[in-house]
Amino acid sequence: MAKNHYDIALLPGDGIGPEVTDAAVAVLTDALKRHGITPHYTTYEAGAAYYQKSNEAISAASMKAVGEADAILLGAMGLPDVRYPDGTEIAPQIDLREHYGLFASLRPCRLFPGVPTRVRADTIDMVVIRELTEGLFAGRHDPTEPNDESASDRLTITRATSEKLFQLAFAQARLRRRLHGTPGHVTLLDKSNVLRSNAFLRKVFDEVAARHPDIGTARLYIDAGSMMLVTNPERFDVIVTENVFGDITSEIAAGVVGGLGVAPSGDVSETHGMFQPSHGTAPDIAGQGVANPIAAILSAAMLLDWMADRHADERCASAAAAIRAATCQVLTHGPKTRDIGGTAGTADVTRAIQNALTSSALAA
Ligand code: ATP
């Protein structure tokens, strides 16, 4: 049901997280207000800085509260110098995925006009769908005995999660074909020639694919597929893959369309959605006002698309389209941040997108 106001939980996090979250909130608020919707934001502390003062990555109360919001907008979390005793980084975003069963990460990668790429291609418009809760992350909480000679991780694929993942991939291919005119095609990346778990993954993919005869399919080994992402990215529409393969390929895909500064993402389940830029906390540029806010702003547009779908609210879909159009306009004509060849700061780009949102062409 469409609502008069939406509750959005904000988790700005660490490093450049708060800077890009502020930018995304400014644009999101403008876009929603232009469509007659009042957003209501609540900010929660979580991440490395919060861990330093509280000894926990996110409190139980915050973990519960963010799930009661209509959607979650996250900046970035974790700092290289702040670690748990076992040496791993503070990553409440992974805890949130597990707690809310956010089983898939959608990472759209589109080459916008005005964004430099090192790859020779005219049209790149793909989405990498990464499984988030199992695969090579499955044993993250397995008990281990202290051992200074060897260490292993567990790769588990389940039918239940894989079926949900592939259903989502085929639904995305169909939705993208309707909205963007993309071909309606899904590519599975796996290592089924070596890993038993991946042979099973491919078997489940084939079963689900058989139920979607209107969508084209391809199956590639992860190594060959990774090379093709660089040599022939135009061949991909929807890519779907295991957790760690997806972690890596989504960054390759982001790289070919201009880098992490323009790559949004959304982690979803059937009931919850958490949206965040694909980049991390970028401690090397934090606090300087130079972070590219576009990945976070496009993540806010994904959040709106997701709410549009859940609440059958066309106003949210229209606000999302307006954000994307305004962003495209600013990427084409500038100002741009230095990671994509410009000299502008975070605030300049944010203001330009807000101005483009109010321009008559986009207001129509
Ligand atoms: P993580 O493991 O959390 O993904 P990381 O250190 O691997 O973190 P990032 O924090 O994303 O990766 O940073 C990688 C590089 O990309 C850094 O040089 C950083 O400055 C740059 N970068 C990341 N995000 C942005 C952004 N929004 N604007 C400009 N540069 C960025």
Side-chain angles (χ1 to χ4, degrees), residues 108-166:
C109 291
R110 178 174 155 205
L111 184 60
F112 286 99
V115 178
T117 175
R118 290 169 184 272
V119 170
R120 235 179 295 133
D122 294 325
T123 311
I124 305 175
D125 188 350
M126 56 190 165
V127 56
V128 179
I129 304 183
R130 166 191 174 191
E131 196 287 316
L132 277 184
T133 55
E134 50 186 43
L136 199 42
F137 279 18
R140 223 167 65 90
H141 301 299
D142 286 355
T144 54
E145 293 295 322
N147 184 335
D148 212 24
E149 299 307 321
S150 72
S152 14
D153 289 290
R154 177 163 62 81
L155 201 175
T156 298
I157 300 290
T158 67
R159 169 176 287 281
T161 299
S162 304
E163 282 191 353
K164 274 195 302 191
L165 180 76
F166 296 143

Side-chain angles (χ1 to χ4, degrees), residues 16 20 77 89 93 251 260-261 278-285 290-293 295 337 339:
I16 62 169
V20 298
M77 290 177 180
E89 271 191 40
Q93 64 276 36
E251 295 227 0
L260 290 169
S278 294
H279 60 72
T281 53
D284 52 334
I285 57 164
V290 298
N292 191 341
T337 47
D339 56 308

